[in-house]
Amino acid sequence: GLLKRVLSGTVGVAVWNTVQLTVPAGGVSLSIPPGWSAVQTTDVTNVYPPGLSADPASEYAGDFVVYTDANPSMLDSNSYYNGTTGPALNSDSASVTTLAVAGHSGFRFTLAAGIDATEVVIIPLSGYFLRVEDRGDSPTFDALIQLLTAR
């Protein structure tokens, strides 16, 4: 008979880096692509693609910005994001959809033109909201949201 030889190519797989976010209860991590960097302050995490960093002159704060919005009054997202307590996401959005992120129900806001971010995902957690803004790379944003983990 004939001998058959099967050759398989090598496939490179990029491993995303995990960043533990500084949040009130802990237990939230964000995965970012290889070569990207994350800079954290008390309640904000700025995520930059390779070779870029904050640029105050152009108001560039990263392709993604993650905010920890304290919610001690335990308001629902409609009450919180009304422009008084938090940003006016409800009135500034062209559309709002629901989504599940890391076992939590959340909301995805597609913002109207003229706003810094193009999309914002809100995840209500105990005593705060996690607000993730897409400011530059929508395909990576979608993957970043799917890889977000929260207890």
Side-chain angles (χ1 to χ4, degrees):
L2 292 171
L3 291 175
K4 290 186 178 182
R5 185 172 180 175
V6 177
L7 300 175
S8 62
T10 303
V11 176
V13 177
V15 178
W16 285 37
N17 302 309
T18 301
V19 176
Q20 294 298 322
L21 298 182
T22 305
V23 295
V28 177
S29 63
L30 180 70
S31 294
I32 60 174
W36 287 56
S37 61
V39 177
Q40 293 189 64
T41 60
T42 304
D43 59 355
V44 179
T45 302
N46 304 78
V47 181
Y48 303 97
L52 293 179
S53 61
D55 182 2
S58 69
E59 298 182 3
Y60 177 70
D63 276 18
F64 313 114
V65 182
V66 183
Y67 297 91
T68 303
D69 293 333
N71 185 19
S73 300
M74 303 301 288
L75 299 172
D76 64 24
S77 62
N78 285 330
S79 299
Y80 190 94
Y81 293 104
N82 60 8
T84 302
T85 309
L89 295 178
N90 293 306
S91 62
D92 290 345
S93 296
S95 68
V96 180
T97 56
T98 58
L99 75 162
V101 178
H104 299 275
S105 295
F107 303 93
R108 184 181 197 124
F109 297 84
T110 301
L111 301 179
I115 308 291
D116 285 342
T118 55
E119 293 191 289
V120 177
V121 169
I122 301 296
I123 305 157
L125 297 169
S126 182
Y128 68 99
F129 292 99
L130 197 62
R131 176 170 39 111
V132 186
E133 295 187 355
D134 176 6
R135 295 183 176 201
D137 188 334
S138 293
T140 304
F141 181 73
D142 291 339
L144 180 130
I145 294 301
Q146 293 306 312
L147 294 171
L148 186 70
T149 60
R151 282 192 262 157

